Amino acid sequence: MGKLAVLSLSFAALAVLIGERVITLRHVSLSYRELTQNYLPNCHHIEGIEYGAEDITVLENGLAFLSTGLKYPGLPSYSDDPGKIYTLNLLDSKMKIKAMNIKGDFDKDSFNPHGISLYTDDKDGAVYLFVVNHPQGKSQVEIFRFIEDENALQYIKTIKHELLHNVNDIVAVGTESFYATNDHYFTNGILKFVEPFLSLPWCDVVYYSPQTVQVVAGGFLLANGINISPDRRHLYVADILKHKIVVLEIQKNTVLSHVKEVDVGSLCDNIEVDRESGDLWLGCHPNGLKCVFHDPNDPPGSEVIRIENILSEKPRVTQLYSDDGSVIVASSVATQYGGKLLIGTVYQKALICDLKL
């Protein structure tokens, strides 16, 4: 009888724990949230993008780079083809994407691009594209040199390291150096599920250079997008399950100190930073549960948020676009250039709109 009582109590405690965790997950995923549509004028899908443009970044001359075809555990994927990098000239009225040719000894068949970052070398003006790549579900970083007159990428090198085990996004700070986010602590599939289920704040930011590799910030529930301020003194990290953008100051030894956190009220993914104003542009998931399950009859929506004056005492957080999934599904990135707003998604289409500011 005593053993039965203990067993009953154990099952009851487990049921209470699971129930509490489910309620917490529903809360952090904003599963209760329904969007009011907030559209911009003259929006249209970008022809040729059908399987996502998970990350997008833009050069000063208006040339956008799009990371497409991501296959990521737990999220839908609708193509078995390798991923690709496209360019889109935002100053060209035709708005036609161009697939980039990858030159050199690089395995294109297993290319599975995720976060991307551009770096321009002050010494010679050379442009480098850093790409988070997941071949066969692994994590590594590819460095390419951009050949503008050929719209091509020259493969330079692949970076692998035990600290770069679940890389989501990256921001380049040199020709071979960068900061990167790990969106999970564990690499085992089951444990990666358990991690957010138990709300374990074990995700981190890693600094990499040929001389140094180290964890420089931690304590994130799920670290996604990362980017840098125009003066290169602060990093911004999206802690997606906390609904916050974390501001970190870069110290001389590359270690980061915590400055503040800004509530955004959504599950914001990638971060783009305006070079002139310093404003942050965020592609967000307004309802994370819909994003994971992706019911075609009730698709995940999309949301674009801008943060102005993020380093001030009163940053301004504004929703600039929202859709319930009828136009664009599961937005992951947003960036603006020349009066245009470009919105990418994890696994669906990409959208471009006229921007009202």
Side-chain angles (χ1 to χ4, degrees):
M1 189 66 178
K3 291 182 179 179
L4 182 59
V6 170
L7 191 60
S8 298
L9 287 172
S10 299
F11 277 117
L14 180 60
V16 170
L17 173 63
I18 293 174
E20 185 274 333
R21 288 289 87 201
V22 169
I23 292 171
T24 299
L25 278 179
R26 290 181 64 85
H27 174 74
V28 300
S29 66
L30 302 179
S31 63
Y32 55 85
R33 190 172 177 217
E34 296 294 337
L35 275 186
T36 300
Q37 292 178 337
N38 178 19
Y39 288 157
L40 290 168
N42 301 321
C43 291
H44 63 271
H45 292 118
I46 298 172
E47 185 178 350
I49 301 296
E50 300 293 336
Y51 306 115
E54 199 279 338
D55 202 6
I56 302 171
T57 193
V58 185
L59 283 173
E60 290 187 47
N61 63 5
L63 189 67
F65 291 69
L66 293 80
S67 169
T68 72
L70 173 66
K71 299 162 188 64
Y72 193 80
L75 294 177
S77 176
Y78 300 103
S79 173
D80 293 328
D81 294 337
K84 294 181 180 179
I85 304 294
Y86 289 94
T87 56
L88 174 66
N89 186 350
L90 295 174
L91 296 179
D92 186 348
S93 59
K94 296 179 182 178
M95 291 291 172
K96 298 291 185 182
I97 60 170
K98 295 181 180 179
M100 303 194 77
N101 179 37
I102 298 179
K103 307 176 70 173
D105 186 18
F106 180 76
D107 182 7
K108 302 177 199 175
D109 292 336
S110 66
F111 193 35
N112 188 13
H114 199 167
I116 59 176
S117 179
L118 289 163
Y119 181 80
T120 302
D121 191 351
D122 293 334
K123 296 179 182 178
D124 58 7
V127 175
Y128 295 85
L129 181 70
F130 289 60
V131 182
V132 177
N133 186 19
H134 302 295
Q136 294 85 42
K138 301 174 184 177
S139 277
Q140 57 197 51
V141 174
E142 317 291 356
I143 302 179
F144 304 94
R145 181 166 176 162
F146 175 44
I147 307 173
E148 184 174 6
D149 56 357
E150 299 180 30
N151 194 54
L153 296 171
Q154 177 65 53
Y155 170 66
I156 303 296
K157 68 186 300 184
T158 296
I159 295 172
K160 303 178 184 179
H161 193 275
E162 60 182 7
L163 292 181
L164 300 169
H165 48 80
N166 282 300
V167 183
N168 184 297
D169 198 17
I170 186 171
V171 58
V173 292
T175 58
E176 293 186 54
S177 58
F178 56 84
Y179 291 92
T181 55
N182 283 310
D183 59 19
H184 287 82
Y185 175 82
F186 296 109
T187 55
N188 175 274
I190 295 176
L191 293 178
K192 288 173 76 171
F193 169 79
V194 170
E195 195 175 329
F197 184 77
L198 295 179
S199 298
L200 300 176
W202 293 353
C203 297
D204 55 30
V205 175
V206 174
Y207 173 75
Y208 176 93
S209 74
Q211 297 78 33
T212 304
V213 187
Q214 59 181 329
V215 174
V216 289
F220 301 94
L221 273 183
L222 205 161
N224 270 46
I226 187 170
N227 217 318
I228 196 166
S229 61
D231 63 8
R232 310 190 79 76
R233 293 174 55 192
H234 294 89
L235 284 182
Y236 308 121
V237 180
D239 197 342
I240 191 168
L241 294 183
K242 286 185 179 179
H243 320 143
K244 296 178 184 289
I245 301 300
V246 181
V247 182
L248 303 163
E249 186 174 8
I250 302 173
Q251 306 297 318
K252 291 183 179 180
N253 59 359
T254 70
V255 172
L256 308 176
S257 62
H258 184 276
V259 176
K260 65 191 300 185
E261 298 179 3
V262 178
D263 290 309
V264 289
S266 190
L267 288 87
C268 293
D269 199 328
N270 289 303
I271 304 169
E272 287 298 301
V273 179
D274 188 291
R275 291 181 180 86
E276 296 181 2
S277 67
D279 293 350
L280 275 63
W281 293 80
L282 314 171
C284 308
H285 307 289
N287 186 317
L289 214 57
K290 288 185 179 182
C291 186
V292 172
F293 290 108
H294 188 63
D295 179 357
N297 298 314
D298 187 20
S302 295
E303 186 172 28
V304 174
I305 290 174
R306 178 178 63 169
I307 305 178
E308 300 170 88
N309 303 316
I310 190 169
L311 297 176
S312 70
E313 291 185 4
K314 295 183 178 180
R316 185 183 179 195
V317 179
T318 309
Q319 182 201 76
L320 292 181
Y321 178 91
S322 64
D323 171 61
D324 61 5
S326 58
V327 175
I328 188 167
V329 170
S331 58
S332 56
V333 63
T335 188
Q336 68 86 28
Y337 187 93
K340 299 289 185 182
L341 178 66
L342 188 57
I343 306 172
T345 68
V346 181
Y347 47 76
Q348 198 226 18
K349 300 178 182 292
L351 194 72
I352 190 162
C353 305
D354 289 344
L355 191 59
K356 298 184 301 181
L357 292 178

